[in-house]
Amino acid sequence: MSGGPTPGGSPAPGARPGPSMAAAAVRLPAPVALPDGASAPAPAPAPASVPATATAPDPDPAPLTVLVIAKEPVPGRVKTRLTPPYRPEEAARLAEAALADTLETVARLNVRRRVLVLAGRPGPWLPSGFEVVPQCEGGLDRRIAAAFALCDGPALLIGMDTPQITAALLSGAEGTAPTGSALKGSAPRGGGSAGRSAADGPWEDCDAWFGPAEDGGFWALGMACPRPQLVLGVPMSRPDTGAVQRQRLVEAGLSVRDLPLLRDVDTAADAAHVASLSSRRFAAVHAELARTAAT
């Protein structure tokens, strides 16, 4: 996970500060992914002289906060490991596309809060429905911990380096996610259950979710009752970062469920692999840059 080494600036206009962390443990119900093109159920018949205008209300949002920790996609300050072969401006375009895809996915979740924890300033890539708060000073462990401290209930934090994520992967709300992304059942306390969904039904017998990354880090971290101290001091950007973080959760007595192993975008080879898994903006920008390089 890469939230960016650059400390955040001033909050965006209209940004709202989050509440303080609650002490009581909370179980996480499932957020609901809003399917594309879905229509409300037909209204009840009305008298012939009165048009039928009633529509079914949206389902109540799940009491979940989804945090996205990210950097403003400024050339020379994001995705520096992509240069070379990409120029800084091209790397920034890929970073912006990855962030836009990630935010679009989160926007489709019917959850209580969506919070962008941003180093820098928001741009046109930010959809509506998000609170924007600045990242605090310090290392990535401190910035992740501060993000969890914004939450007074269940929270799931992701980064901007895995644009291949889907609403089904994060919610499993439709119950039709493929094997390997939203399996049913519960994990034993203190153990793990690979390939589940971050909200595959209520968090029964589960206190935390962990999404491992192929490079040894993690792409997602969720806690039913956020405890920022469990992130502080975890060494970041190392091959054992994920293992150390997950062990912290287990040693604290939390039951942990594992999300699927994902590859995040750090190198040009990573970008090509992730682009092959998607048909959205990141894939389109990657394809455009590949065509430009070939001419």
Side-chain angles (χ1 to χ4, degrees):
M1 178 174 296
S2 171
T6 305
S10 59
R16 304 191 300 275
S20 60
M21 180 180 64
V26 183
R27 294 293 182 188
L28 175 59
V32 179
L34 301 178
D36 295 332
S39 58
S49 59
V50 180
T53 57
T55 58
D58 289 336
D60 291 336
L64 171 68
T65 296
V66 178
L67 302 157
V68 180
I69 187 166
K71 289 182 66 177
E72 179 187 1
V74 176
R77 299 177 63 187
V78 291
K79 295 299 168 203
T80 55
R81 290 176 61 188
L82 292 178
T83 57
Y86 295 102
R87 294 183 292 108
E89 294 79 11
E90 294 171 331
R93 285 191 62 196
L94 286 168
E96 179 176 330
L99 178 55
D101 283 353
T102 300
L103 295 175
E104 178 188 351
T105 295
V106 174
R108 293 181 57 207
L109 298 174
N110 188 20
V111 295
R112 188 181 68 158
R113 297 174 69 204
R114 303 173 191 87
V115 182
L116 174 61
V117 186
L118 183 65
R121 302 179 66 85
W125 36 263
L126 177 66
S128 61
F130 281 81
E131 302 171 41
V132 180
V133 298
Q135 292 184 22
C136 72
E137 301 283 346
L140 184 55
D141 63 320
R142 295 186 63 85
R143 287 179 278 131
I144 292 176
F148 276 111
L150 298 170
C151 307
D152 61 353
L156 177 71
L157 178 140
I158 60 176
M160 60 183 286
D161 296 341
T162 50
Q164 70 270 42
I165 62 171
T166 63
L169 177 65
L170 296 179
S171 72
E174 296 176 349
T176 57
T179 300
S181 63
L183 303 179
K184 297 296 181 182
S186 58
R189 292 194 64 85
S193 176
R196 295 176 53 85
S197 157
D200 188 17
W203 277 20
E204 297 173 358
D205 299 322
C206 174
D207 305 306
W209 285 93
F210 182 78
E214 288 188 8
D215 63 1
F218 59 93
W219 64 269
L221 180 63
M223 287 184 271
C225 183
R227 295 168 62 179
Q229 67 272 22
L230 296 182
V231 184
L232 288 173
V234 172
M236 296 290 164
S237 302
R238 293 187 353 187
D240 63 343
T241 293
V244 173
Q245 180 61 79
R246 193 184 189 287
Q247 188 62 27
R248 277 280 193 92
L249 302 175
V250 173
E251 289 178 350
L254 304 186
S255 58
V256 182
R257 287 179 180 170
D258 292 322
L259 289 157
L261 179 71
L262 295 185
R263 185 169 178 173
D264 52 16
V265 178
D266 288 323
T267 67
D270 296 332
H273 175 78
V274 171
S276 71
L277 303 176
S278 173
S279 60
R280 297 191 294 165
R281 183 171 173 180
F282 183 83
V285 171
H286 184 271
E288 179 187 338
L289 294 177
R291 288 192 299 269
T292 301
T295 58

